[in-house]
Amino acid sequence: MTPLKANTFISFILLFVLLLLSGGAASQRRRAKVAPPNVQRTDSLQGGDTLQAGDSLSVRDSLQGGKGLPADSLQQDTVVAAPPKKDALDAPVAYEANDSIVFTQSGFAHLYGQGKVSYPGADLEADIISMDMDNSTVFARGTVDSVGTAKGRPVFKDGDTSYETDTIRYNFKSKRGLISNVVSQQGEGYVTGNNAKKGNNDELYMRSGRYTTCDHHDHPHFYMQMTYAKVRPKKNVVTGPAYLVVEDVPLPLAVPFFFFPFSSSYQSGFLMPTYMDDSNRGFGLTDGGYYFAISDQMDLKLRADIFTKGSWALNMESNYVKRYKYSGLLQASYQVTKTGDKGLPDYSVAKDFKVVWSHRQDPKANPNSTFSASVNFATSSYERTNIDNMYNSQAMSQNTKTSSVSYSRNFPDQHLNISMSSNIAQSMKDSSIAVTLPDMTISLSTIFPFKRKHAVGDERWYEKISVRYTGRLKNSIKTKDNLLFKKNLIRDWENGMQHEIPVSATFTLFKYFNVTPSVNYTERWYTRKVKKDWDDEQGKEVNDTTYGFHRVYDYSASLGINTKIYGMYKPLFMKKKEIQIRHVITPSISFSAAPDFTSSRYGYYDSYIKDQNGVRDTVQYSYYAGQVFTPPSGGKQGLISFNISNNLEMKFKDKNDSIRKVSLIDDLSMGISYNTAAQVRPWSDLSFNLRLKLSKSYTLSMNSTFATYAYEFDESGRVVPGNRTEWSYGRFGRWSGYGTSFSWTVNNDSWKKIRNFFTGQKDDEEQDQDQNASTEGDSDMEGETTEDGTPKKKKEKAAADADGYQVFKMPWSINFSTGFNITEDTSKPINRKNMRYPYKFSLNSLNINGNVKLTNKWAVSFNSGYDFNAKEITQTAFNITRDLHCFSMTAAISPFGRWKYYNFTIRANASILQDLKWEQRSQTQSNIQWY
């Protein structure tokens, strides 16, 4: 072989070996980057698509070497797992995609179609995601469909914080990234930025960002334009210079910096005051203070008002709650109101306070005991001087306030119940107050003391005897609110206790009559006894009060008999309807007797001689009259009471051959009694009751009386009830009059119902009932039910008119309430022929209130009325509201009544921006003429 040929052959062999080595090395590098050991595949190609760490190719090369020859460097070709990189992740990364996953030789994985990448503490979703598997970096973006609509925008979640972006580049190891057009919700607001950098502590650094509470964060109605900002999710945002932009119009309202705190839990902090200008109080700051987040179960809010003319106020408010136990609200206010100029006659100082307490116990907390409170106590001038009520006509015109606190405890095994309450009633008109503290009642439910524990055979007559007990302790006072705490508990407060023990039984006589005998015993305990006499020198009645324990009792017995008489009637007309009328008559008669407790042997009554203007009269009185419990009535009683009641019902077949039942007369009853022990006027007045159910929502109830004894003239020529009955003159009893009140609500459906009533058409409810009746029992028409067995709600399509547009609806409602009274007009002369006064008809005040929802954003409500006696319009107020999405507008005006005012406010809805508002008010003094 020539040297040239030998050199050529050796060169060819070396080239072949170099190519073989380079191809093996490249193959090893590609396999190592497809799925590194610290990456977990979760897509459809996961099974059998990776090379495990111990996968080896034990291929013996032809140049391995034989006996006496050295081993070649390729003695054993083995793919050994590469050692972990210094920046390897601590946990595997899970990824998936709906469309496809593409791996490249350069170590990238591309996810198409709703890709998802998850790493402990971080999640990323986007339409397109690219992962650099060597340096733990991902890049995500959305796509644009054929019509140019963006979809699949990246949504990155780091812990509990979520970011919506256009593009994002993020490193799982360093937890840093670059985000474009980021949107992050923080508290009630949204932070947006064109370009932002995410730090490893979740903070965002952005330039030209925005902060807004409008959820239209792509194009908000208003926002604070920030130059530079640092956002700490769920903690705060701190910015440099910023200015306000409303509807894309920059406003000359700028701040050198601002700080917004974010928190998902309660935090203590300052409450910013509101500036106010009042003609009576001067310039002032109101509702400024501090909020204490004491715990998850309780908070405390302290606020204060201060004005330049010396008026000030302190307010406290606390909410408390314990799950499954109770919840409540406590408010306390103290205010000093100074009006006028010091040293002038119009200068005045008013000191007022108010306490509000509302407590509610969860029904599941304790089934045998309950505690509740509803306290609304204030001095008489508080509502008129409080600055917050100057534009609330209802609060300023409120005449009465009531408060109550009650507690009850039930002992089921002992059939015993104990309840206690305290009540306060205030009159704002004359500052009078009535307090009851305490009012305790002890009651023993009905027991049968003679019933056998192990009864054998029929029930004995004495086993039907039942006993009950009711005891009541009461302590009360009536005075002025400023004198309440100056009264003496023994001399000024009225107190006492009453015990009632009724014993009764019910027997059946001759199968049709129910006989009910009963005995009642009542005992009263008083702490004072008042003796009265007439002082001739002073010409007035004088009292002598003795304090101590005084026991007063009375008793009575009665026997009642009643039965029921049924009658059926089938009219001769409309036989196809199969009309049946049922008449139920319930007559009853009772006998009751009681001794004369005015007798001297009981010691409850006394009398004195009244000598006035030469006329001597004997005045009988009770030692215990006017106290918390009424003393026994005077006069011997032997009453025989008669009563009869009627009920009339009708049933018939309707068009669907279904039986319908209607009530013609719910109740028509009359009653009268005769006192056999009375020497004059033994008959009582005739009572009359009528109840008619005119519709589903209205029932007419009429209760009235017919006087038994006729009018006559006394010796002085005055008209007084005489001793002769109206019957003796051939006349029926004299009607005493009637009074009632009612209300009527008119809304969108009212006119439709009236039209259907006259045209005979059915409304939607009746059609639904007919449809349900016609489909009853048809298995093919049964509705679908949910998992718990309840029927699913049907989805109704929006109603459309003839042109295919949605039907315009403007919900509205107007409520009318009034009443009338028919009484004898004793101011006019009596008719001497029939001895009857003419009747007069008087209307109560007409109250009107309603609301109209003009659109989904506009709403109007109002309340007004007319006083027929004073012949003037009552306090009138109109309220207009407009929902401006992230803002709200309210306007209130009161053109009629004692207080005339107007108020206009625009404010942000977010609580964190409660001071972002504009208000325009009228002057707050009453009777101001502003129009």
Side-chain angles (χ1 to χ4, degrees):
M1 183 180 294
T2 62
L4 180 60
K5 293 181 178 181
N7 293 336
T8 303
F9 180 78
I10 293 172
S11 300
F12 178 80
I13 294 298
L14 292 176
L15 179 61
F16 176 80
V17 172
L18 289 175
L19 291 174
L20 183 63
L21 291 174
S22 62
S27 177
Q28 295 178 35
R29 183 168 60 252
R30 284 195 300 270
R31 290 169 183 168
K33 289 184 178 180
V34 169
N38 55 357
V39 177
Q40 177 183 353
R41 287 288 304 276
T42 62
D43 63 307
S44 59
L45 301 176
Q46 181 176 358
D49 195 49
T50 59
L51 294 177
Q52 303 299 327
D55 189 13
S56 62
L57 297 175
S58 301
V59 180
R60 292 189 177 271
D61 192 73
S62 60
L63 300 177
Q64 184 177 359
K67 184 178 181 180
L69 295 176
D72 191 74
S73 60
L74 298 178
Q75 179 180 0
Q76 186 174 3
D77 187 11
T78 305
V79 179
V80 183
K85 297 179 182 293
K86 293 183 179 180
D87 59 347
L89 296 175
D90 299 331
V93 176
Y95 55 91
E96 62 180 41
N98 286 353
D99 191 345
S100 60
I101 299 177
V102 179
F103 299 94
T104 64
Q105 292 184 355
S106 56
F108 281 86
H110 302 285
L111 284 65
Y112 298 96
Q114 299 180 6
K116 295 182 181 179
V117 177
S118 298
Y119 181 75
D123 296 297
L124 177 63
E125 297 181 8
D127 218 29
I128 297 178
I129 301 177
S130 298
M131 296 189 301
D132 188 345
M133 307 181 75
D134 282 340
N135 55 22
S136 306
T137 303
V138 295
F139 175 79
R141 64 181 178 87
T143 58
V144 179
D145 58 14
S146 58
V147 296
T149 303
K151 66 175 184 176
R153 294 183 61 192
V155 177
F156 179 70
K157 186 175 182 182
D158 189 356
D160 295 333
T161 306
S162 179
Y163 305 94
E164 183 180 350
T165 69
D166 282 350
T167 63
I168 181 173
R169 187 180 300 276
Y170 182 74
N171 188 290
F172 286 109
K173 187 64 179 180
S174 63
K175 295 185 178 180
R176 297 182 179 182
L178 296 175
I179 307 174
S180 65
N181 294 329
V182 62
V183 178
S184 176
Q185 182 176 3
Q186 302 295 331
E188 295 182 85
Y190 296 86
V191 178
T192 63
N194 294 330
N195 295 289
K197 178 181 179 181
K198 182 185 180 302
N200 55 0
N201 293 325
D202 294 342
E203 67 273 12
L204 288 177
Y205 301 91
M206 61 178 59
R207 179 185 298 177
S208 300
R210 299 175 179 179
Y211 176 79
T212 181
T213 58
C214 181
D215 55 4
H216 292 173
H217 43 74
D218 292 337
H219 191 189
H221 295 96
F222 81 100
Y223 57 88
M224 294 294 295
Q225 181 66 55
M226 305 178 295
T227 53
Y228 297 92
K230 177 182 178 181
V231 181
R232 301 171 63 195
K234 296 190 176 181
K235 292 183 180 180
N236 52 56
V237 56
V238 183
T239 76
Y243 56 91
L244 181 64
V245 178
V246 178
E247 292 293 351
D248 297 331
V249 178
L251 299 181
L253 299 176
V255 292
F257 66 91
F258 73 77
F259 170 83
F260 276 118
F262 306 127
S263 177
S264 58
S265 60
Y266 292 107
Q267 286 189 348
S268 302
F270 288 97
L271 301 174
M272 298 301 296
T274 300
Y275 167 77
M276 180 172 289
D277 179 12
D278 183 73
S279 59
N280 290 330
R281 296 170 174 81
F283 300 100
L285 298 176
T286 62
D287 291 337
Y290 197 83
Y291 176 81
F292 297 90
I294 300 176
S295 66
D296 292 339
Q297 289 79 31
M298 186 177 182
D299 66 353
L300 177 63
K301 185 188 298 182
L302 297 179
R303 296 175 299 163
D305 304 341
I306 186 169
F307 293 88
T308 55
K309 290 188 178 182
S311 299
W312 57 274
L314 293 175
N315 305 289
M316 183 274 289
E317 179 179 340
S318 177
N319 293 273
Y320 59 90
V321 61
K322 189 171 184 180
R323 184 172 295 181
Y324 308 123
K325 292 293 184 180
Y326 53 79
S327 62
L329 167 68
L330 178 63
Q331 293 178 335
S333 302
Y334 181 80
Q335 62 184 25
V336 177
T337 305
K338 298 180 180 180
T339 57
D341 296 325
K342 195 172 184 179
L344 297 179
D346 61 346
Y347 180 75
S348 64
V349 178
K351 299 180 180 181
D352 301 287
F353 71 93
K354 181 178 182 180
V355 177
V356 176
W357 181 29
S358 175
H359 180 90
R360 177 183 176 272
Q361 177 180 309
D362 194 297
K364 300 183 292 294
N366 193 336
N368 292 325
S369 66
T370 58
F371 177 79
S372 63
S374 178
V375 177
N376 185 11
F377 181 83
T379 53
S380 58
S381 59
Y382 178 88
E383 304 296 351
R384 295 190 295 270
T385 58
N386 184 262
I387 192 68
D388 294 332
N389 292 341
M390 291 301 175
Y391 307 97
N392 188 347
S393 59
Q394 294 182 352
M396 298 185 69
S397 60
Q398 188 177 14
N399 293 325
T400 59
K401 285 181 178 292
T402 58
S403 304
S404 65
V405 179
S406 61
Y407 172 79
S408 66
R409 173 70 178 178
N410 185 32
F411 301 90
D413 297 336
Q414 290 76 24
H415 304 280
L416 188 66
N417 179 269
I418 300 176
S419 62
M420 293 180 291
S421 66
S422 60
N423 302 280
I424 301 176
Q426 293 179 266
S427 175
M428 301 292 104
K429 185 177 182 180
D430 57 358
S431 70
S432 62
I433 184 173
V435 181
T436 303
L437 178 67
D439 188 353
M440 184 175 69
T441 302
I442 304 174
S443 60
L444 180 67
S445 59
T446 303
I447 61 173
F448 297 86
F450 305 108
K451 186 177 286 293
R452 294 169 293 174
K453 294 183 179 180
H454 305 286
V456 178
D458 296 337
E459 187 179 23
R460 310 292 173 83
W461 66 269
Y462 54 83
E463 293 184 284
K464 298 180 179 181
I465 299 176
S466 63
V467 179
R468 289 185 294 112
Y469 168 78
T470 302
R472 189 177 180 187
L473 173 65
K474 193 175 181 180
N475 184 43
S476 63
I477 188 175
K478 293 182 179 180
T479 183
K480 299 293 184 179
D481 56 6
N482 58 340
L483 302 176
L484 176 62
F485 299 102
K486 299 179 181 180
K487 295 295 183 179
N488 186 277
L489 181 62
I490 302 299
R491 297 182 178 274
D492 299 322
W493 286 72
E494 296 180 357
N495 40 64
M497 189 169 185
Q498 179 175 276
H499 310 268
E500 294 181 344
I501 305 177
V503 181
S504 63
T506 301
F507 307 101
T508 301
L509 185 65
F510 306 125
K511 296 183 180 181
Y512 301 108
F513 296 93
N514 296 320
V515 180
T516 306
S518 64
V519 176
N520 295 277
Y521 177 82
T522 304
E523 184 170 306
R524 306 164 186 84
W525 294 348
Y526 299 106
T527 58
R528 70 183 68 184
K529 181 179 181 180
V530 181
K531 292 185 178 181
K532 299 180 180 181
D533 202 354
W534 182 261
D535 190 340
D536 294 332
E537 296 180 358
Q538 299 182 6
K540 65 177 183 179
E541 184 183 77
V542 293
N543 300 330
D544 182 15
T545 305
T546 303
Y547 297 95
F549 177 77
H550 304 276
R551 172 174 169 266
V552 177
Y553 66 90
D554 67 330
Y555 50 86
S556 63
S558 65
L559 176 66
I561 303 174
N562 66 80
T563 187
K564 288 184 179 295
I565 303 173
Y566 297 89
M568 300 295 295
Y569 171 71
K570 292 184 178 181
L572 299 178
F573 54 88
M574 301 179 68
K575 294 185 178 180
K576 293 183 179 180
K577 294 289 186 180
E578 297 184 6
I579 300 176
Q580 293 184 4
I581 299 176
R582 187 182 72 166
H583 185 194
V584 181
I585 305 174
T586 307
S588 64
I589 182 172
S590 63
F591 306 89
S592 61
D596 184 8
F597 292 100
T598 61
S599 175
S600 58
R601 67 188 184 92
Y602 291 101
Y604 304 156
Y605 285 79
D606 199 357
S607 62
Y608 63 87
I609 303 300
K610 177 181 178 181
D611 189 355
Q612 188 176 18
N613 299 327
V615 179
R616 296 173 62 87
D617 293 327
T618 300
V619 179
Q620 188 180 48
Y621 69 95
S622 173
Y623 296 129
Y624 312 101
Q627 299 196 42
V628 291
F629 298 111
T630 305
S633 59
K636 186 178 180 180
Q637 294 184 5
L639 290 178
I640 304 176
S641 301
F642 306 91
N643 186 80
I644 184 170
S645 62
N646 298 266
N647 175 266
L648 207 62
E649 294 179 337
M650 179 180 67
K651 61 181 181 179
F652 60 93
K653 283 187 177 182
D654 58 9
K655 295 181 180 180
N656 297 323
D657 288 338
S658 300
I659 302 297
R660 292 189 60 184
K661 183 179 178 181
V662 296
S663 174
L664 301 179
I665 300 177
D666 273 4
D667 179 57
L668 174 60
S669 60
M670 293 178 290
I672 194 171
S673 63
Y674 181 81
N675 189 359
T676 58
Q679 297 181 356
V680 294
R681 293 199 291 270
W683 290 99
S684 69
D685 292 340
L686 176 67
S687 63
F688 175 82
N689 301 304
L690 175 64
R691 186 173 67 249
L692 301 175
K693 191 172 184 180
L694 301 180
S695 66
K696 294 181 180 179
S697 58
Y698 182 72
T699 300
L700 173 64
S701 297
M702 180 177 180
N703 302 317
S704 187
T705 59
F706 293 88
T708 301
Y709 294 94
Y711 285 131
E712 64 180 23
F713 294 101
D714 62 1
E715 297 177 355
S716 303
R718 296 175 300 180
V719 179
V720 295
N723 296 332
R724 289 189 59 181
T725 64
E726 292 279 359
W727 316 322
S728 64
Y729 292 101
R731 301 190 298 259
F732 193 70
R734 185 180 65 257
W735 187 39
S736 61
Y738 173 66
T740 186
S741 61
F742 55 88
S743 62
W744 184 37
T745 301
V746 183
N747 52 32
N748 301 68
D749 299 330
S750 299
W751 306 118
K752 184 188 298 184
K753 291 181 179 180
I754 295 175
R755 182 193 61 191
N756 294 341
F757 177 79
F758 288 101
T759 60
Q761 298 179 358
K762 294 184 178 180
D763 55 13
D764 297 337
E765 293 183 1
E766 292 181 350
Q767 291 180 359
D768 293 340
Q769 292 177 0
D770 294 344
Q771 186 175 2
N772 294 336
S774 61
T775 59
E776 185 177 359
D778 190 352
S779 59
D780 296 334
M781 299 297 292
E782 291 181 357
E784 297 180 356
T785 58
T786 59
E787 295 180 356
D788 57 357
T790 58
K792 292 183 178 179
K793 294 183 178 180
K794 296 181 179 179
K795 296 182 179 180
E796 297 182 359
K797 296 182 179 179
D801 57 13
D803 298 328
Y805 294 98
Q806 184 175 348
V807 177
F808 174 74
K809 291 184 178 181
M810 187 176 64
W812 59 273
S813 174
I814 302 177
N815 179 265
F816 302 88
S817 62
T818 184
F820 65 88
N821 294 283
I822 302 176
T823 57
E824 292 180 302
D825 190 0
T826 56
S827 63
K828 295 183 179 180
I830 193 172
N831 188 329
R832 292 179 175 268
K833 183 177 181 180
N834 57 14
M835 294 301 292
R836 301 287 178 93
Y837 281 107
Y839 291 94
K840 65 177 180 180
F841 178 85
S842 60
L843 276 173
N844 299 339
S845 297
L846 174 64
N847 300 314
I848 306 174
N849 59 80
N851 58 82
V852 181
K853 192 172 183 180
L854 301 176
T855 65
N856 292 332
K857 303 293 184 180
W858 284 97
V860 179
S861 63
F862 66 93
N863 62 80
S864 182
Y866 186 80
D867 190 340
F868 293 98
N869 296 325
K871 296 182 179 180
E872 63 180 12
I873 299 176
T874 60
Q875 187 69 44
T876 302
F878 295 89
N879 295 278
I880 304 172
T881 60
R882 173 69 164 93
D883 184 6
L884 300 172
H885 189 254
C886 48
F887 276 79
S888 61
M889 181 192 72
T890 59
I893 182 173
S894 180
F896 309 112
R898 180 178 178 183
W899 293 279
K900 302 178 180 66
Y901 61 85
Y902 69 86
N903 182 15
F904 181 81
T905 305
I906 296 180
R907 66 170 66 238
N909 293 334
S911 59
I912 196 172
L913 298 177
Q914 59 181 348
D915 296 315
L916 186 59
K917 62 181 179 180
W918 181 75
E919 290 184 316
Q920 183 66 33
R921 297 185 175 187
S922 62
Q923 294 296 327
T924 55
Q925 64 263 33
S926 52
N927 294 325
I928 186 70
Q929 297 295 331
W930 46 264
Y931 59 90

